[in-house]
């Protein structure tokens, strides 16, 4: 479906690989039969990707297990890592989790098997998060550049301008309430990843960590003004009843999006795919705009989520596993056909993201809008952003403290203070020297 | 097994007449064979207990004696984890929450179960049989499914209850709000376990001799008096058994809050001690501290259950 320019080139290249020696293209393994590489991943439609890989790699056979999504997957992975056996050769890991698995000594350095060659292939911010110096801990797959989804029909019908700044966002929230007392501009989902994405977009850089340079030092600065203004603004809207409180991804939140109860969602590059499947009533009524800015005319961007392939230290054949991690998506046109059209992944392979077949793709859900024209520049604008080696704890704190504020048992201006305090205490208890 | 030894000793002293001797020898052979056979019978159980109870417990205890900090690695730390556990505000808050929950929920649930059992015992229609089955049904529903089901029933969009007050002009109920969360959870637990306890108590009531009731009735007792003064005292053992099981179950409160956290973000990582232990291990990779929390919790459950039995026995002893 993406049979244009670079994909055609890529197909040619892969064919050439087949003609040349397997070794020249990073093929691995002994001569006696294909090497088996186990993979844990929860991408939708991943079956086809595995089949495409196995068909193009006679020397490697991928065996795929879906070990559950998110927390379930990580719980199993961490248990297997602690036990010292039972982990897959290749595991899907989200960006914010990479330092956690690095410090657990769970990830093999793919740089030793030539993965540094792939640097130019991926969006810089993603490559930066997946690597540490010349150590390659992960191969990026998909990202979540954030943009502003809104109900175009309702905004048009009531003549409310689409907010270009967060101040206008707050004004729009008032206008929406005036038009429909049951409606809200959006929901505050108490989702650590989402809040983190908004803070990233605000220019806040709350964490700093490098396992190679100083593995026992971490920077935590959640109370910087760029971070605080995000919580202040949204907290104020919640307190005024202009923003709803449903957690994201629940049946209630989805129903609210599909019934005109929520008019917008500051969401990620992967949300269109998620939504297209569940919002049947309002499909075609949504549109995407760039994120509201803190300063009019600025171009600050953030990311919410995204995932990679890692090779675990338990991999029996790290070289073959590295090939799998690098080539499952990275060098496979067939995989991206599935990834883009069926699994709705936002591609971090630069050439796939820049391909006119992707940027020019019109989405029925957005009434024919070519939304990737908005998401792609966002991803290109994303710069350096680091995570802590205990991001689960940080997100857990952000969730729990904002949930307290949502329920009225905590004032919004203490959410980040308390989170900062608890995270610093936790980090020190874990033996880190903490700086701001 | 060892008790058989004194039996053989006098036998050996018997006068050595040939038939007796042979009988004695035969018996001696049987006696030596008996421990082996007995051991063989016990062996499967013993293996299961060692493999699935003693070894995991020992391993968990051993884990709890060392600490793993992310930056510094693993080191032996003795009882440090226990000191940390018993001074951890998150754990203590969770513990307090569960205790408060139990103080309200357990009496309500056992009260309903007892009342239901007494009614079932007094009524002997076909309806009673059907009701027995219906009351027991929630117990057959896996806790995860039950919690998910109630999550939807509580939902403002899909549930039938949230909007009830709006019919009379009130505000819709938010079952996931902090003030109602424990009540909502308590309702799920009560729904799931009342029938189960009711059946236990009902079975105990079936064991009370009918003559006792009849004697009470002949003495002029009303049905209510029979129930409260004759039947309830007769099944005290069963009531305290149900109470102990419920106390232990409450201390281990996990599934319902774990599932409900999807709907209610107010359920934090340390909402109940068991949830906290789970998150320490599987979210924060701290298996050592998780083991210590689990052990501390197990110890508390043991102490509470033992204290309950002790107090119960003493009270019974005094009255007798």
């Amino acid at each position: 479906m993406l049979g244009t320019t670079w994909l055609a080139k890529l197909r040619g290249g892969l064919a050439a690989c087949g003609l040349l020696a397997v070794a020249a293209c990073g093929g691995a393994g002994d001569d006696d039969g294909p090497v088996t590489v186990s993979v844990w991943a929860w991408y939708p439609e991943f079956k086809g990707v595995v089949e495409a890989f196995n068909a193009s790699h006679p020397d490697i056979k991928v065996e795929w297990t879906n070990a559950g999504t998110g927390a379930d997957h990580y719980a199993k992975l961490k248990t297997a890592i602690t036990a010292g056996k039972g982990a897959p050769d290749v595991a899907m890991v989200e960006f914010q989790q990479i330092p956690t698995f690095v410090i657990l000594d769970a990830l093999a350095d793919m740089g030793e098997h030539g993965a540094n060659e792939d640097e130019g292939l991926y969006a810089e911010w993603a490559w930066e998060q997946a690597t540490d110096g010349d150590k390659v801990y992960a191969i990026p797959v998909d990202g979540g550049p954030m943009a502003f989804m809104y109900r175009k029909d309702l905004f048009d019908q009531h003549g409310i301008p689409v907010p270009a700044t967060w101040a206008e966002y707050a004004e729009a929230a008032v206008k929406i309430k005036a038009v429909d007392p049951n409606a809200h501009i959006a929901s505050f989902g108490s989702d650590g990843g989402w809040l983190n994405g908004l803070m990233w977009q605000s220019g806040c850089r709350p964490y700093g960590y490098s396992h190679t340079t100083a593995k026992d030092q971490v920077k935590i600065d959640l109370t910087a003004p760029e971070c605080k203004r995000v919580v202040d603004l949204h907290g104020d809207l919640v307190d005024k009843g202009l923003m709803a409180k449903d957690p994201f991804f629940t049946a209630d939140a989805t129903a609210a999006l599909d019934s005109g109860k929520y008019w917008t969602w500051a969401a990620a590059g992967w949300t269109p795919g998620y939504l297209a499947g569940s919002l049947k009533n309002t499909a075609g009524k949504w549109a995407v705009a760039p994120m509201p800015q803190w300063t009019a005319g600025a171009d600050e961007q953030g990311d919410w989520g995204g995932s990679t392939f890692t090779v675990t230290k338990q991999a029996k054949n790290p070289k073959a596993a590295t090939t799998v991690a690098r080539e499952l998506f990275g060098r496979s046109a067939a995989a991206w056909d599935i990834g883009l059209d069926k699994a709705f992944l936002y591609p971090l392979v630069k050439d796939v993201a820049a391909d006119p077949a992707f940027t020019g793709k019109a989405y029925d859900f957005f009434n024919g809008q070519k939304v990737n024209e908005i998401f792609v520049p966002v991803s290109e604008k994303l710069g350096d952003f680091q995570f802590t080696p205990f991001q689960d704890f940080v997100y857990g704190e952000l969730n729990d403290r904002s949930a307290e504020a949502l329920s009225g048992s905590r004032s919004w201006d203490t959410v980040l203070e308390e989170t900062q305090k608890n995270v610093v205490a936790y980090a020190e208890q874990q033996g880190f020297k903490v700086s701001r | 097994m060892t008790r058989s030894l004194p039996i053989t000793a006098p036998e050996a002293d018997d006068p050595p007449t040939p038939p007796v001797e042979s009988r004695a020898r035969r018996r001696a052979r049987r006696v030596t064979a008996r421990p082996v056979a007995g051991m063989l019978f016990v062996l499967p159980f013993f293996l299961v207990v060692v493999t699935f109870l003693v070894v995991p417990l020992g391993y968990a205890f051993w884990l709890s004696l060392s600490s793993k900090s992310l930056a510094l690695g693993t080191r032996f730390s003795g009882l440090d984890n226990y000191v940390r556990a018993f001074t951890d505000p998150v754990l203590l808050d969770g513990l307090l929450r569960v205790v408060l929950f139990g103080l309200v929920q357990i009496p309500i649930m056992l009260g309903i179960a007892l009342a239901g059992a007494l009614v079932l015992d007094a009524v002997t229609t076909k309806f009673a049989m059907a009701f027995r089955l219906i009351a027991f049904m929630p117990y057959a529903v896996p806790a995860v499914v039950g919690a998910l089901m109630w999550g939807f029933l509580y939902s403002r969009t899909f549930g039938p209850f949230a909007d009830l007050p709006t019919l009379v002009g009130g505000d819709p109920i938010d079952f996931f709000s902090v003030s109602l969360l424990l009540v909502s959870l308590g309702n799920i637990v009560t729904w799931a376990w009342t029938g189960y306890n009711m059946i236990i108590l009902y079975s105990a009531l079936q064991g009370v001799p009918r003559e006792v009731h009849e004697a009470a009735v002949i003495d002029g007792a009303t049905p209510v008096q029979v129930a409260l003064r004759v039947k309830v005292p007769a099944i005290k053992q069963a009531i305290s058994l149900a109470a102990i099981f419920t106390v232990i179950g409450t201390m281990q409160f996990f599934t319902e809050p774990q599932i409900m956290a999807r709907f209610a973000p107010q359920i934090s990582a340390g909402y109940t001690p068991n949830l906290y232990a789970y998150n320490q291990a599987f979210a924060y990779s701290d298996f050592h501290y998780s083991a210590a929390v689990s052990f501390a919790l197990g110890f508390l459950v043991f102490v509470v259950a033992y204290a309950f039995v002790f107090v119960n026995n003493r009270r019974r002893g005094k009255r007798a």
Side-chain angles (χ1 to χ4, degrees):
Chain A
M1 257 162 246
L2 287 169
T4 40
T5 53
W6 87 273
L7 283 179
K9 262 187 273 167
L10 193 67
R11 285 196 180 105
L14 286 175
C17 278
L19 291 175
L20 291 166
V22 181
C25 292
D30 304 315
D31 291 332
D32 43 345
V35 184
T36 303
V37 173
S38 56
V39 177
W40 285 7
W42 69 73
Y43 297 113
E45 309 288 345
F46 193 57
K47 191 169 173 277
V49 174
V50 170
E51 280 162 6
F53 181 90
N54 285 339
S56 60
H57 291 73
D59 53 337
I60 300 177
K61 184 171 174 286
V62 166
E63 272 181 0
W64 169 48
T65 305
N66 186 344
T69 43
D72 293 340
H73 168 95
Y74 292 127
K76 285 177 194 155
L77 197 55
K78 283 173 182 173
T79 311
I81 284 158
T82 310
K85 63 177 179 189
D89 300 322
V90 174
M92 182 177 167
V93 168
E94 287 163 284
F95 283 103
Q96 78 273 8
Q97 293 277 350
I98 294 171
T100 300
F101 282 99
V102 168
I103 204 166
L104 290 175
D105 199 27
L107 304 185
D109 174 15
M110 282 183 267
E112 290 171 9
H113 304 288
N116 276 304
E117 289 165 20
D118 290 357
E119 176 166 6
L121 212 56
Y122 296 98
E124 282 93 81
W125 69 271
W127 188 256
E128 198 112 336
Q129 292 194 5
T131 57
D132 194 347
D134 62 354
K135 286 192 163 60
V136 182
Y137 289 120
I139 300 291
V141 178
D142 75 306
M146 290 182 85
F148 186 69
M149 294 186 5
Y150 65 100
R151 280 287 298 276
K152 189 171 189 316
D153 59 327
L154 294 174
F155 272 84
D156 286 353
Q157 186 190 330
H158 298 286
I160 300 171
V162 178
T165 64
W166 286 109
E168 288 174 24
Y169 180 87
E171 286 163 24
V174 177
K175 287 177 188 155
I176 288 168
K177 200 77 189 174
V179 169
D180 177 359
N182 290 320
H184 300 270
I185 188 161
S187 180
F188 189 96
S190 41
D191 182 302
W194 173 73
L195 196 53
N196 192 84
L198 290 180
M199 294 196 295
W200 182 342
Q201 195 260 337
S202 167
C204 158
R205 296 288 179 270
Y207 329 110
Y209 183 70
S210 166
H211 190 258
T212 325
T213 3
K215 66 174 183 177
D216 62 345
Q217 278 177 34
V218 64
K219 173 195 144 181
I220 301 158
D221 186 12
L222 283 154
T223 50
E226 291 81 13
C227 310
K228 280 209 71 164
R229 62 183 177 183
V230 174
V231 176
D232 289 347
L233 177 109
H234 287 94
D236 185 50
L237 293 178
V238 170
D239 285 347
K240 287 177 179 157
L242 301 174
M243 216 172 171
K245 303 174 180 182
D246 286 317
F248 295 147
F249 314 116
T250 57
D252 276 348
T254 308
L257 282 168
D258 206 19
S259 64
K261 202 181 152 204
Y262 303 162
W263 285 28
T264 78
W265 193 11
W270 45 263
T271 8
Y274 164 75
L275 290 177
S278 34
L279 305 191
K280 301 291 184 203
N281 296 330
T282 53
K285 296 176 177 173
W286 292 87
V288 177
M291 284 290 273
Q293 295 292 319
W294 287 94
T295 320
D299 185 19
E300 289 284 335
Q301 303 300 347
D303 181 273
W304 175 19
S307 61
T308 68
F309 277 120
T310 60
V311 171
T312 68
K313 284 218 166 150
Q314 291 179 27
K316 287 162 284 300
N317 188 333
K319 194 159 187 289
T322 301
T323 306
V324 171
R326 288 172 68 189
E327 299 184 10
L328 262 171
F329 279 99
R331 295 169 180 278
S332 167
W336 275 117
D337 280 346
I338 297 165
L340 301 184
D341 290 328
K342 296 199 179 127
F344 299 101
L345 304 179
Y346 179 87
L348 292 175
V349 174
K350 278 197 280 194
D351 287 340
V352 178
D355 193 283
F358 180 66
T359 48
K361 193 176 164 187
Y363 287 81
D364 291 341
F365 183 79
F366 296 105
N367 195 24
Q369 190 189 357
K370 295 167 182 171
V371 295
N372 293 326
E373 287 176 350
I374 291 163
F375 286 114
V376 173
V378 171
S379 177
E380 284 169 357
K381 180 78 193 346
L382 292 171
D384 183 31
F385 190 93
Q386 297 174 353
F387 291 102
T388 62
F390 38 80
Q391 202 62 28
D392 260 331
F393 186 87
V394 179
Y395 280 4
E397 277 293 313
L398 283 173
N399 286 347
D400 291 352
R401 301 292 83 78
S402 49
E404 285 168 5
L406 283 174
S407 67
S409 58
R410 168 180 297 288
S411 74
W412 280 100
D413 55 7
T414 63
V415 166
L416 288 177
E417 257 107 27
E418 188 71 10
T419 304
Q420 169 81 16
K421 201 182 92 196
N422 293 347
V423 171
V424 168
Y426 178 79
E428 284 170 349
Q429 191 266 324
Q430 291 292 326
F432 292 96
K433 291 183 200 74
V434 183
S435 66
R436 256 181 191 263
Chain B
M1 273 173 269
T2 46
R3 212 184 299 151
S4 53
L5 280 174
I7 301 172
T8 51
E11 295 278 348
D13 289 342
D14 282 355
T17 47
V20 174
E21 191 194 52
S22 77
R23 208 190 301 150
R25 207 186 299 144
R26 227 183 297 144
R27 198 175 289 174
R29 214 187 303 134
R30 224 184 296 149
V31 165
T32 49
R34 210 187 283 152
V36 178
M39 262 150 82
L40 279 177
F41 276 117
V42 174
L43 193 67
F45 173 75
F46 185 72
L47 279 180
V48 169
V49 166
V50 168
T51 320
F52 295 108
L53 195 73
V54 177
V55 170
L57 273 177
Y59 179 65
F61 185 66
W62 179 75
L63 270 185
S64 75
L65 294 181
S66 44
S67 291
K68 184 182 177 190
S69 70
L70 288 172
L72 304 176
T74 313
R75 69 192 154 83
F76 184 80
S77 62
L79 295 177
D80 282 6
N81 278 330
Y82 290 93
V83 174
R84 182 180 160 200
F86 283 108
T87 53
D88 187 336
V90 179
L91 180 62
L92 296 179
D93 279 358
L95 210 54
L96 191 66
R97 188 175 291 119
V98 164
V99 169
L100 288 177
F101 174 84
L103 284 178
V104 177
Q105 191 263 334
I106 296 174
I108 291 179
M109 179 177 73
L110 291 182
I112 300 175
L114 181 61
L118 287 170
V119 170
L120 279 183
D121 189 54
V123 183
T124 46
T125 55
K126 273 189 182 158
F127 170 75
M129 269 174 66
F131 184 74
R132 224 156 60 204
L133 195 68
I134 292 168
F136 193 66
M137 244 158 36
Y139 177 67
V141 176
V144 173
V145 178
L148 276 175
M149 186 191 85
W150 277 102
F152 278 98
L153 288 175
Y154 289 149
S155 153
R156 254 172 298 167
T157 318
F158 304 100
F161 305 122
D163 284 333
L164 280 183
T166 57
L167 295 177
V168 289
D171 288 331
I173 310 170
D174 182 1
F175 288 102
F176 304 122
S177 66
V178 168
S179 48
L180 273 184
L181 200 47
L182 276 180
V183 178
S184 306
L185 284 167
N187 176 52
I188 301 179
V189 176
T190 309
W191 172 82
W193 290 90
T194 303
Y196 171 83
N197 286 304
M198 195 185 290
I199 297 301
I200 289 187
L201 299 181
Y202 173 74
S203 310
L205 283 173
Q206 295 288 295
V208 179
R210 294 278 141 184
E211 295 82 0
V212 182
H213 306 178
E214 282 158 17
V217 171
I218 288 166
D219 283 351
T222 62
V224 175
Q225 280 173 326
V226 173
L228 295 182
R229 304 241 177 115
V230 179
K231 290 182 181 178
V232 170
I235 59 161
K236 268 200 163 160
Q237 290 270 33
I239 295 174
S240 62
L241 186 76
I244 289 177
F245 283 159
T246 308
V247 166
I248 293 174
T250 302
M251 298 290 283
Q252 297 174 343
F253 203 21
F254 176 76
T255 312
E256 287 82 4
Q258 158 90 342
I259 298 295
M260 282 266 286
R262 298 179 194 185
F263 308 99
Q266 283 81 6
I267 296 179
S268 58
Y271 197 74
T272 72
N274 224 353
L275 201 56
Y276 191 53
Y278 176 86
N279 280 322
Q280 283 294 338
F282 299 110
Y284 310 154
S285 318
D286 197 342
F287 288 84
H288 301 274
Y289 186 50
S290 172
V293 169
S294 310
F295 246 87
L297 184 65
F299 178 73
L300 280 178
V301 170
F302 176 78
V303 168
V304 169
Y306 187 81
F308 188 88
V309 174
F310 184 76
V311 168
N312 228 21
N313 283 348
R314 248 177 58 139
R315 206 193 292 148
R316 197 176 301 132
K318 245 185 226 162
R319 212 168 283 171

